[in-house]
Amino acid sequence: MNTIAQIVLHPFSTRRSKARSRAIGWLALAVMILAGSTFTSFGKQLTTVFSPLSMIFVSEGLMFVFAIISFGLIPSLKKIFSLKSKFILPLLCIGVMNGIASPFLWFFGLQYTNAVNAEIFGKSEMLFLILLSGIFLHQKFRSEHLVGGSIILLGLLIVTMKGFSDGFTFQMGDAIILSAALLYASGGMMVRIKLHHMDPEVLILVRSLCAIAFFFALSPFIEHPFILEAREFPFELIPALIGFGLIARFLTMFSFYEAIERLPIATFSTMATLTTAGSAFFAYIYLGEILHWYQLVGAALIILGAVFVHLNGLHHKEKHMEHHLKSHHRHHI
């Protein structure tokens, strides 16, 4: 009798289980968007105290700790030490590009522009990915990609030219952020070409280890070492430091993996673009930055263009898209 009941009720229990999993996924996605929206503002505050090199150490150090907590130290080390020699060089190159050079430029540029512009110009990474896919993967540009990329480019131009009212006004920080986005996209393209079958946690851990090793190797030769900056760290910025570590890094990463495992990739990647709007709004509330109309229009167009590209697929297969997101979900989503 119990066996018959189980057979009859199994489809209903399966449906309830899937519905519950989907609900958890949506909740995690909402948390990820809210938490991820704080990254740029908290980072902007911390760059007033920490140098870009120190910010790399803080950011990647936190990411390393959270990755170990999430994936486990022993299993992760086993995967790293079992790598074939042919993967070592590409892996180290990606570690240097996306763990050192790109975040250094991003934090350096953040010192010379506002948080809203940094978030907007950081999203140019999608535009660079489209271009690099055509150059290195010989991927044919479909009309959907051209339309989506054009919408993103229009959004960037509107912000750069302040709504076409003041001519071309490009801050130094904006140019540096664009350079960082290009490097992030280049690293993502190298992952797709050389390491698309590698476990994402290996990429994350090696990237963080490269950044931490670089910090300790360079620290004796810089004028303002991290210890001195930490000693002079102002008490009023402690909430920003806690927020950066606990919310912008840990909570974003934790909710990211919960959401991406429970929701369709197209849904996840599309909704994740809302962090651009969330970041601009949080900068307005938390930092008191003025939101100009051209920034709002530019951000809306960038979100629209990114959604258009995601819905029509920049990656050939859904699993490639999932791998890219897991291994390259960055600093900010």
Side-chain angles (χ1 to χ4, degrees):
M1 187 68 179
N2 289 336
T3 304
I4 295 174
Q6 288 175 357
I7 294 173
V8 172
L9 296 176
H10 178 71
F12 297 99
S13 62
T14 301
R15 274 195 220 109
R16 281 198 299 269
S17 178
K18 288 182 178 179
R20 183 180 179 184
S21 177
R22 186 66 61 89
I24 295 173
W26 278 106
L27 178 61
L29 178 60
V31 171
M32 186 205 75
I33 293 172
L34 293 173
S37 298
T38 67
F39 182 92
T40 306
S41 293
F42 285 141
K44 175 68 175 177
Q45 273 199 312
L46 294 178
T47 54
T48 62
V49 178
F50 289 133
S51 65
L53 181 63
S54 296
M55 285 300 298
I56 291 176
F57 175 70
V58 172
S59 181
E60 292 299 326
L62 288 169
M63 180 58 72
F64 178 79
V65 172
F66 300 147
I68 291 299
I69 293 173
S70 301
F71 304 119
L73 177 61
I74 302 303
S76 300
L77 289 178
K78 285 182 178 179
K79 290 180 180 180
I80 291 175
F81 288 118
S82 63
L83 289 173
K84 295 180 179 179
S85 57
K86 66 178 182 180
F87 295 129
I88 301 299
L89 183 59
L91 196 55
L92 291 177
C93 288
I94 291 166
V96 172
M97 289 176 63
N98 284 12
I100 300 172
S102 303
F104 181 89
L105 286 174
W106 198 86
F107 287 121
F108 183 65
L110 191 57
Q111 294 178 321
Y112 297 97
T113 189
N114 56 60
V116 176
N117 270 22
E119 182 65 28
I120 289 174
F121 284 103
K123 294 306 180 188
S124 61
E125 180 183 342
M126 173 64 71
L127 186 61
F128 290 130
L129 273 173
I130 294 173
L131 295 174
L132 292 174
S133 294
I135 295 172
F136 293 104
L137 297 179
H138 306 292
Q139 186 170 319
K140 292 183 179 179
F141 292 128
R142 301 202 305 266
S143 58
E144 294 90 345
H145 296 156
L146 294 176
V147 171
S150 298
I151 294 173
I152 295 173
L153 181 59
L154 178 61
L156 294 172
L157 287 174
I158 287 176
V159 176
T160 302
M161 304 186 74
K162 294 187 176 181
F164 304 106
S165 58
D166 283 345
F168 191 80
T169 53
F170 205 43
Q171 300 180 53
M172 182 180 73
D174 299 336
I176 297 173
I177 294 291
L178 277 175
S179 301
L182 176 58
L183 274 180
Y184 273 118
S186 301
M189 188 55 52
M190 186 177 292
V191 170
R192 189 171 171 187
I193 294 172
K194 299 288 187 179
L195 304 171
H196 58 278
H197 293 304
M198 187 165 291
D199 292 329
E201 57 265 33
V202 173
L203 293 166
I204 293 172
L205 288 170
V206 170
R207 183 191 71 191
S208 296
L209 284 171
C210 285
I212 294 170
F214 178 76
F215 171 82
F216 282 112
L218 197 62
S219 290
F221 306 102
I222 59 177
E223 294 183 13
H224 303 288
F226 176 74
I227 294 177
L228 179 61
E229 293 172 344
R231 285 176 180 171
E232 297 178 351
F233 190 84
F235 180 79
E236 58 269 20
L237 286 185
I238 289 179
L241 182 62
I242 295 174
F244 185 80
L246 187 62
I247 299 174
R249 294 306 268 170
F250 174 71
L251 193 56
T252 300
M253 181 178 179
F254 178 79
S255 54
F256 170 89
Y257 280 97
E258 286 295 314
I260 202 171
E261 294 294 341
R262 299 170 186 272
L263 296 175
I265 295 301
T267 300
F268 174 88
S269 59
T270 299
M271 296 299 295
T273 58
L274 293 176
T275 52
T276 302
S279 295
F281 183 71
F282 188 72
Y284 170 74
I285 296 295
Y286 182 70
L287 297 178
E289 291 191 358
I290 299 174
L291 285 178
H292 299 283
W293 69 266
Y294 55 83
Q295 290 175 319
L296 296 175
V297 173
L301 287 171
I302 289 170
I303 292 172
L304 178 62
V307 168
F308 201 85
V309 172
H310 281 310
L311 288 178
N312 291 281
L314 176 61
H315 298 259
H316 291 300
K317 297 179 180 179
E318 186 173 278
K319 65 178 182 179
H320 289 163
M321 182 63 176
E322 181 177 358
H323 184 272
H324 172 80
L325 289 170
K326 284 184 176 180
S327 61
H328 195 61
H329 72 88
R330 108 117 155 126
H331 48 239
H332 43 289
I333 302 297

